[in-house]
């Protein structure tokens, strides 16, 4: 089945630093989504991408849909303590009977120190 | 707008017991999902409903898991009998769009299940 690998698995950064994380797939996706999950809560949608090469921002967050359609990137600028959490990428495949099924990555745990 | 509601928030049971989780999706959302999230992993789809019909249950362990959405609104997920490896957070999600590339899922807070 489809697999999504996220890197890094975890990262410690200082407040104010920029953060980059990425997600790679073994197959092509036609949609990429980025979610953030706080402890004890469900994932919350941050950014949705629908076209190869698309670059979309949401405040301090910017995500890109890779040209190969097998990867996506998330950047967070000027991190703040509330950015702490687990970031998941999710992809939706094409040309399958369950085309709408989302496959989630393994997550990147972000910790921000003052 | 109210979000996806789930209950209970936490459940502790012994192996071989049964347990049920409840989900109320966002009003008007026709599509409902149950996901299993094991500690340290991303959510994994168990079952998808479109109104009261099952769209995809290919990853549901049907020998012990069952789910229903009788009136196309609320849904329950049941495990009987539970095993140690069922310890996880069970997330419910809903969306308004029919299956399509631009469908966006909204998640509830989940039920954390511990099987002892």
């Amino acid at each position: 089945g489809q697999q999504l690998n996220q890197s890094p698995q975890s990262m410690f950064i200082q407040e104010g630093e920029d953060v980059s994380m990425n997600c790679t797939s073994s197959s092509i996706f036609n949609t990429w989504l980025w979610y953030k999950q706080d402890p004890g809560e469900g994932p919350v949608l941050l950014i949705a991408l629908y076209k190869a090469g698309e670059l979309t921002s949401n405040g301090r967050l910017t995500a890109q849909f890779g040209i190969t359609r097998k990867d996506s990137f998330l950047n967070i600028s000027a991190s703040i303590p509330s950015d702490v959490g687990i970031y998941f990428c999710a992809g939706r495949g094409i040309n399958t009977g369950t085309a709408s099924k989302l496959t989630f990555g393994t997550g990147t745990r972000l910790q921000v120190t003052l | 707008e109210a979000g996806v509601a789930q209950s209970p928030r936490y459940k502790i049971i012994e192996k071989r017991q049964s347990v049920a989780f409840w989900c109320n999706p966002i009003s008007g959302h026709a599509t409902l999902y149950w996901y299993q999230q094991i500690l340290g992993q991303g959510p994994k789809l168990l079952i998808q409903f479109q109104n009261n019909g099952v769209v995809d249950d290919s990853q549901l362990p049907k020998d012990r898991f069952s789910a229903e959405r009788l009136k196309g609104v609320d849904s329950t997920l049941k495990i009987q009998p539970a095993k140690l490896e069922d310890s996880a957070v069970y997330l419910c999600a809903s969306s308004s769009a029919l299956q399509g590339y631009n469908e966006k899922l909204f998640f509830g807070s989940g039920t954390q299940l511990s099987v002892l």
Side-chain angles (χ1 to χ4, degrees), chain A residues 30-31 33 35 37 40-43 45 48 50 88 92 97-98 100-102 104-106, chain B residues 9 35 37 40-43 45 48 56 59 91 99-105 107-109:
Chain A
N30 67 349
T31 302
L33 304 173
Y35 284 86
Q37 187 172 27
E41 299 295 331
L45 182 64
Y50 302 115
F88 289 101
R92 182 172 286 126
T98 54
S100 68
K101 185 170 74 176
L102 277 182
F104 281 82
T106 48
Chain B
R9 285 300 305 269
Y35 282 83
Q37 186 176 24
Q41 298 181 18
L45 179 67
Q48 176 187 350
D56 182 1
Q59 297 189 92
L91 294 163
Q99 292 185 29
Y101 78 98
N102 62 344
E103 181 187 14
K104 293 178 182 175
L105 273 62
F107 285 85
S109 298

Side-chain angles (χ1 to χ4, degrees), chain B residues 20-94:
Chain B
F21 313 124
W22 173 83
C23 173
N24 181 240
I26 292 173
S27 177
H29 280 195
T31 309
L32 185 147
Y33 303 82
W34 284 102
Y35 282 83
Q36 180 192 58
Q37 186 176 24
I38 292 172
L39 186 64
Q41 298 181 18
K44 186 187 88 170
L45 179 67
L46 291 175
I47 189 168
Q48 176 187 350
F49 290 95
Q50 186 72 29
N51 295 308
N52 60 351
V54 175
V55 173
D56 182 1
D57 64 357
S58 58
Q59 297 189 92
L60 187 74
K62 298 180 186 66
D63 58 333
R64 297 183 301 104
F65 286 65
S66 64
E68 59 183 15
R69 195 184 183 200
L70 292 176
K71 296 183 179 178
V73 181
D74 294 5
S75 177
T76 56
L77 175 69
K78 296 179 182 176
I79 308 175
Q80 182 179 8
K83 292 185 175 181
L84 296 177
E85 60 260 35
D86 298 332
S87 294
V89 174
Y90 290 85
L91 294 163
C92 179
S94 70

